[in-house]
């Protein structure tokens, strides 16, 4: 099985193509998603095999909503995308379909242009090696199931007496509905039944193994095929079908394939109304899988995967330890979980709250008491009212992953604020600019801030650095592992800066400003939407996202309410009737 090298597989061709003729030679990788626009920086980064998220400064954590232009007075749906399953989604789906404890073979690494793996999955093609990995994974997984008599009987639910009998046909229909996230068409059912009989060679279990292996390699499993149907209320656009809405809901809220109850709701037409969608979403949010999926969104939104590659010289930073990075990640995860699931509070306060969770090594790093904390026990801590820390931007995770190995990076820290917190575009530096800020002759006694200000004297650098450095300078009292410092290169630190012309004296003052900044909540709406649909929004969708933001605001900026507002909105339920062209 090899990926074709021809043009992108479009929505139009999806509609023309009938069920694929697959003795097990499936035409994989034929769809690469929406081609990246010329104005997109889709470079992204490759994820480590076990990382939940990663990105680099170069991935242009690009904030701003769209390609500009005046938004229409009324919402108009955006274009279709056909994202491939991410690595995590693939393995989650396999577990949902076949049960836990199965092999997790290596797959082609995800990429995350514009922060999210879903966008990479919708804008990249599968390589020839990636196709081979899908084939090998399907074979390995199906053998693990069907070579175990007890496991295969539990999966199939009956004992096939002969190839192609009623037991076989019933399993193909049930498994196909779960794997394809919709009922099999009659000709698909017939074809898979024929494949099972042909390849069984007298053993119905062998025939069923080939069916499972084949379906795990099918584009209908590997891609989220959500193309829409005519909208009875508006002939100029499409609405997603009930089964497509089941898929969209489940991948957003569980990061896996829909369960039988959600597919039953789709078949009954319940997911075609806002009330039915809200009821279904409430059920999904009550499931523990929703907590995991929400954590995965925040891991990508907040860029926690970059912690995986951090190294520090222990001689220069004696407080740094091999376990500290994991502690920093856990602190953020506990803070997210507390704000959303325990307090059900204003999620924007993640950037300003004095509440956090510390183990003993983070308490020592921050210089605050944490009674009961141990290296493995995190306890709730309220940071001092008159202290320097408040909110995520003063915690170890942000400060460490946005610093270099031996010194700070006000530029990286300022860019994070602009792009991830406020959703503002940060252009890439000109290609011919020297980005090396090591001290030059005569600069040996200068602080990093002084060297950056000299760098800004270059007209090609001045505009961008004037935009991102002032908020970045506010964090200069925190060193590359997030510890407090008073000196830089033996000179007093100047940590003054500003945000859009408002003078600020410290990161703590920035936290107070962000607490009241309307852009913070609107940016969360934007980032969640991009994560949910696998592309950046377009200008015609702004009115729809404004409605989501309004409901989010009226609900006190509670994240759970944002999820409900999004999944019941027009912007999530409809799509443009315009075809995607190669």
């Amino acid at each position: 099985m090899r990926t074709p090298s021809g043009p992108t597989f479009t929505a139009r061709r999806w509609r023309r193509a009938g069920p694929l003729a697959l003795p097990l030679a499936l035409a994989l990788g034929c769809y690469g998603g929406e081609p990246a626009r010329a104005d997109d920086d889709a470079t992204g980064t490759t994820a480590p095999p076990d990382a939940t998220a990663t990105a680099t400064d170069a991935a242009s954590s690009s904030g701003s909503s769209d390609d500009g232009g005046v938004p229409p007075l009324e919402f108009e749906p955006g274009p279709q995308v056909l994202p491939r399953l991410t690595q995590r989604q693939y393995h989650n789906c396999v577990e949902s379909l076949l049960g836990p404890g199965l092999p997790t073979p290596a797959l082609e690494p995800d990429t995350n242009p514009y922060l999210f793996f879903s966008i990479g999955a919708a804008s990249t093609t599968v390589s020839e090696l990636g196709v081979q990995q899908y084939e090998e994974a399907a074979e390995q997984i199906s053998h693990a199931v069907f070579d175990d008599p007890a496991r295969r009987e539990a999966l199939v639910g009956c004992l096939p007496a002969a190839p192609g009998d009623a037991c076989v046909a019933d399993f193909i229909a049930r498994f196909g509905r779960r794997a394809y996230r919709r009922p099999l068409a009659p000709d698909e059912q017939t074809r898979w039944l024929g494949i099972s009989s042909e390849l069984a060679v007298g053993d119905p279990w062998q025939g069923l193994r080939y069916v499972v292996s084949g379906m795990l390699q099918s584009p209908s499993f590997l891609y989220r095929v959500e193309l829409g149907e005519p909208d009875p209320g508006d002939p100029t656009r499409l609405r997603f079908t009930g089964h497509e809405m089941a898929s969209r809901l489940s991948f957003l809220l569980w990061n896996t394939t829909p369960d039988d109850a959600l597919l039953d709701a789709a078949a009954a037409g319940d997911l075609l109304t806002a009330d039915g969608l809200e009821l279904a979403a409430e059920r999904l949010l009550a499931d523990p899988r929703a907590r995991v999926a929400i954590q995965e969104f925040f891991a990508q939104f907040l860029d926690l995967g970059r912690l995986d590659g951090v190294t520090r010289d222990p001689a220069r930073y004696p407080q740094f330890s091999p376990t500290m990075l994991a502690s920093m990640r856990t602190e953020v995860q506990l803070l997210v979980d507390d704000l959303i699931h325990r307090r059900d509070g204003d999620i924007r306060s993640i950037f300003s709250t004095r509440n956090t969770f510390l183990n003993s090594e983070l308490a020592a790093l921050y210089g605050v008491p944490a009674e009961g904390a141990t290296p493995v026990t995190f306890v709730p801590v309220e940071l001092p009212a008159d202290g320097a820390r408040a909110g995520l931007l003063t915690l170890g995770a942000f400060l460490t992953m946005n610093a270099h190995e031996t010194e700070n990076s006000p530029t990286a820290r300022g860019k994070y604020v602009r792009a991830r917190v406020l959703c503002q575009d940060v252009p890439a530096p000109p290609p011919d600019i020297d980005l090396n800020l090591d001290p030059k002759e005569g600069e040996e006694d200068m602080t990093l801030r002084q060297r950056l200000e000299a760098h800004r004297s270059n007209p090609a650098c001045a505009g961008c650095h004037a935009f991102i450095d002032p908020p970045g300078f506010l964090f200069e009292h925190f060193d590359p592992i997030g510890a407090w410092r008073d000196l830089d290169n033996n000179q007093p630190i100047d940590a003054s800066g500003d945000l859009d012309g408002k003078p600020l004296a410290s990161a703590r003052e920035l936290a107070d400003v962000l607490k009241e900044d309307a852009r913070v909540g609107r940016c969360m709406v934007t980032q969640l939407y991009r994560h949910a649909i696998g592309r950046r929004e377009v200008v015609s969708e702004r009115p729809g996202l404004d409605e989501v933001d309004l409901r989010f605001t009226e609900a006190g900026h509670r994240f759970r309410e944002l999820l409900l507002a999004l999944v019941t909105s027009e912007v999530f339920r409809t799509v443009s009737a315009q075809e995607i062209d190669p």
Side-chain angles (χ1 to χ4, degrees):
M1 285 174 276
R2 296 294 179 265
T3 180
S5 58
T8 303
F9 198 66
T10 68
R12 186 181 295 111
R13 290 169 63 194
W14 267 107
R15 289 202 177 93
R16 285 204 306 259
L20 303 176
L22 307 174
L24 290 180
L26 299 162
L28 299 181
C30 50
Y31 175 71
E34 181 188 15
R37 299 190 304 271
D39 61 334
D40 287 350
D41 172 8
T43 53
T45 57
T46 297
D50 58 348
T52 52
T54 184
T56 64
D57 290 343
S60 215
S61 333
S62 194
S64 171
S65 358
D66 43 53
D67 52 3
V70 178
L73 295 178
E74 296 183 358
F75 162 73
E76 296 175 10
Q80 300 160 335
V81 291
L82 293 169
R84 195 171 66 253
L85 298 182
T86 66
Q87 282 194 48
R88 182 62 58 85
Q89 289 170 348
Y90 178 94
H91 292 306
N92 286 350
C93 288
V94 166
E95 180 170 328
S96 297
L97 294 170
L98 300 171
L102 291 171
T104 54
L107 301 174
E108 194 157 79
D110 293 326
T111 60
N112 63 336
Y114 300 111
L115 316 187
F116 298 110
F117 293 146
S118 59
I119 298 181
S123 58
T124 57
T125 53
V126 185
S127 70
E128 188 169 353
L129 174 60
V131 175
Q132 180 181 331
Q133 288 175 318
Y134 280 138
E135 178 182 4
E136 293 171 351
E139 284 291 286
Q140 186 178 352
I141 291 165
S142 62
H143 270 294
V145 173
F146 284 89
D147 290 353
D148 180 337
R151 183 160 197 155
R152 72 191 186 192
E153 289 179 20
L155 172 68
V156 174
C158 55
L159 294 175
D165 69 4
C167 172
V168 171
D170 179 67
F171 172 74
I172 288 174
R174 287 186 287 107
F175 185 79
R177 185 178 90 137
R178 290 293 313 284
Y180 285 8
R181 305 174 283 277
R182 58 169 175 79
L184 294 180
D187 54 350
E188 290 175 315
Q189 173 76 14
T190 300
R191 186 161 302 188
W192 281 115
L193 191 59
I195 289 170
S196 173
S197 299
E198 180 182 345
L199 299 180
V201 193
D203 180 358
W205 291 114
Q206 177 172 285
L208 286 175
R209 188 195 72 76
Y210 277 117
V211 167
V212 168
S213 178
M215 285 190 179
L216 294 182
Q217 298 171 71
S218 168
S220 293
F221 170 71
L222 295 172
Y223 289 87
R224 292 173 50 189
V225 184
E226 300 160 5
L227 303 176
E229 64 183 4
D231 186 343
D234 187 342
T236 67
R237 68 186 188 185
L238 303 175
R239 69 178 184 185
F240 291 107
T241 69
H243 286 95
E244 289 167 348
M245 287 305 303
S247 174
R248 290 167 77 78
L249 268 184
S250 190
F251 280 108
L252 174 60
L253 301 181
W254 282 357
N255 211 26
T256 190
T257 194
D259 63 2
D260 282 320
L262 195 56
L263 292 173
D264 289 344
D270 296 344
L271 304 186
L272 297 177
T273 68
D275 289 344
L277 281 168
E278 184 157 353
L279 185 64
E282 293 270 12
R283 179 179 72 85
L284 268 61
L285 285 170
D287 189 283
R289 285 172 285 188
R291 285 196 174 201
V292 178
I294 289 170
Q295 286 287 357
E296 289 173 349
F297 162 72
F298 276 94
Q300 294 174 59
F301 168 37
L302 300 176
D303 211 11
L304 298 184
R306 288 179 62 200
L307 288 171
D308 297 333
V310 168
T311 59
R312 295 290 184 265
D313 181 357
R316 185 186 289 260
Y317 303 105
Q319 282 186 285
F320 185 77
S321 71
T323 59
M324 184 170 283
L325 299 175
S327 297
M328 291 174 174
R329 184 193 295 269
T330 299
E331 178 186 15
V332 176
Q333 291 171 335
L334 290 171
L335 180 57
V336 167
D337 197 70
D338 182 62
L339 280 170
I340 295 173
H341 301 293
R342 292 189 183 89
R343 300 176 186 268
D344 191 23
D346 184 338
I347 188 60
R348 301 174 306 163
S349 68
I350 195 171
F351 298 113
S352 59
T353 181
R354 289 191 291 114
N355 296 306
T356 190
F357 296 83
L358 303 179
N359 64 356
S360 54
E361 69 175 345
L362 289 182
L365 180 70
Y366 297 173
V368 297
E371 184 177 352
T374 72
V376 296
T377 301
F378 286 75
V379 298
V381 171
E382 185 175 19
L383 297 169
D386 59 352
R389 298 181 195 268
L392 180 134
L393 301 181
T394 62
L395 301 184
F398 163 78
L399 296 164
T400 300
M401 67 192 183
N402 288 291
H404 300 302
E405 187 165 358
T406 59
E407 66 179 358
N408 284 347
S409 177
T411 301
R413 290 171 175 179
K415 179 179 178 181
Y416 188 106
V417 173
R418 292 290 189 187
R420 290 181 184 266
V421 182
L422 300 177
C423 283
Q424 296 175 320
D425 275 324
V426 179
D432 56 345
I433 292 298
D434 181 9
L435 301 179
N436 180 12
L437 291 178
D438 291 340
K440 300 178 175 61
E441 185 176 353
E443 296 181 342
E444 293 84 2
D445 296 328
M446 296 174 74
T447 65
L448 174 59
R449 179 173 187 144
Q450 290 168 337
R451 283 187 277 128
L452 269 172
E453 288 174 343
H455 180 71
R456 285 169 59 182
S457 64
N458 184 334
C461 305
C464 189
H465 280 278
F467 183 57
I468 57 180
D469 287 355
F473 286 139
L474 298 168
F475 305 100
E476 274 300 274
H477 272 300
F478 299 104
D479 74 8
I481 64 169
W484 180 265
R485 62 179 190 164
D486 290 306
L487 301 175
D488 177 18
N489 203 14
N490 296 315
Q491 295 193 49
I493 285 174
D494 177 4
S496 62
D498 72 75
L499 183 67
D500 299 327
K502 179 179 178 62
L504 299 169
S506 66
R508 178 64 189 272
E509 288 191 7
L510 175 64
D512 292 337
V513 168
L514 293 177
K515 182 166 56 178
E516 305 299 331
D517 195 321
R519 294 174 297 179
V520 174
R522 184 60 169 82
C523 184
M524 283 194 181
V525 173
T526 296
Q527 304 289 25
L528 181 65
Y529 183 63
R530 293 174 178 178
H531 167 73
I533 66 169
R535 61 165 171 81
R536 296 211 306 173
E537 67 287 358
V538 295
V539 65
S540 68
E541 294 173 304
R542 270 198 233 164
L545 290 174
D546 289 343
E547 287 294 323
V548 175
D549 185 43
L550 178 62
R551 182 172 165 186
F552 183 36
T553 302
E554 291 173 344
H557 291 100
R558 291 176 293 152
F559 189 74
R560 185 175 175 278
E561 294 302 316
L562 171 56
L563 289 167
L564 294 175
L566 178 61
V567 301
T568 57
S569 69
E570 283 189 308
V571 77
F572 189 75
R573 297 167 56 197
T574 61
V575 67
S576 171
Q578 182 179 357
E579 300 282 6
I580 303 172
D581 290 320

